[in-house]
Amino acid sequence: SQAVFAQADYDLGGIADALDGLKVTAGYRYTWDWRAVANGQRTNIPGLITGLCSQAGADKNCVVSGDGSFSAPSWLLEADYQIDPTKMVYIKGSKAYQSGGFNLLSPTAATKELKPEYLDDLEIGLKADWYFLGMKARTDVDEYWGWYSGVQEAIPVVNPLNGATLRATAV
């Protein structure tokens, strides 16, 4: 993986006294991932090696390989307000990326490559310091929501060569 990243924080209190305690943060990342994998097990699992050796792309030693590149941007935007020295509220939105990959033992070509997975996230929270029976305590409370796209999940796939059901990861 390689990536470039930038993040900036800005205290809006410098603009006007009414904005004192309000800060914003913005961040951006772009990631490039390169993946390569090969599988050539020589174990005697009935039907698996026969299926592996007959797959398109398998060489004479029953080695199946895959490679590819994936890339995507990620970002975050956040605003936090320091109510007083002991309490802060915030809201944050972000987009995250998980690289794709390969599941070479999958019996079907459509489930051999995993596409990237993405998450859009929204979070609202409160952080506060308190005193309880003379002891300092901290409370971090938040609520968040996430919206996935391209979810990578394990699904059963029937091998068309022998009828065996295998678990394949796909989107």
Side-chain angles (χ1 to χ4, degrees):
S1 289
Q2 293 182 332
V4 293
F5 173 77
Q7 181 169 315
D9 300 307
Y10 189 74
D11 185 345
L12 297 173
I15 296 174
D17 290 340
L19 298 175
D20 192 37
L22 181 61
K23 296 178 184 160
V24 294
T25 301
Y28 182 83
R29 175 187 186 103
Y30 198 90
T31 305
W32 297 270
D33 291 306
W34 293 273
R35 298 253 173 129
V37 66
N39 192 324
Q41 296 179 352
R42 290 226 175 243
T43 56
N44 189 13
I45 301 171
L48 179 61
I49 296 304
T50 302
L52 181 63
C53 292
S54 63
Q55 292 185 56
D59 69 11
K60 65 180 180 170
N61 296 314
C62 299
V63 174
V64 180
S65 61
D67 62 70
S69 60
F70 308 92
S71 61
S74 302
W75 55 264
L76 79 86
L77 293 172
E78 181 175 6
D80 62 68
Y81 179 66
Q82 192 76 42
I83 298 168
D84 64 37
T86 63
K87 293 175 197 69
M88 180 187 77
V89 293
Y90 67 93
I91 184 168
K92 179 182 88 158
S94 62
K95 182 173 187 87
Y97 151 83
Q98 177 175 306
S99 175
F102 303 94
N103 184 5
L104 298 178
L105 293 181
S106 176
T108 61
T111 57
K112 287 189 186 305
E113 181 176 308
L114 308 173
K115 302 293 183 203
E117 180 176 280
Y118 302 93
L119 171 66
D120 292 296
D121 177 76
L122 179 64
E123 181 178 356
I124 299 171
L126 164 72
K127 296 182 180 200
D129 293 329
W130 309 91
Y131 284 92
F132 179 72
L133 300 175
M135 295 181 293
K136 190 173 182 176
R138 171 161 287 168
T139 305
D140 294 328
V141 179
D142 69 357
E143 181 75 24
Y144 59 92
W145 301 268
W147 298 271
Y148 283 96
S149 61
V151 176
Q152 299 171 3
E153 60 184 350
I155 57 172
V157 175
V158 176
N159 186 334
L161 299 171
N162 62 11
T165 300
L166 299 172
R167 301 290 284 176
T169 306
V171 282

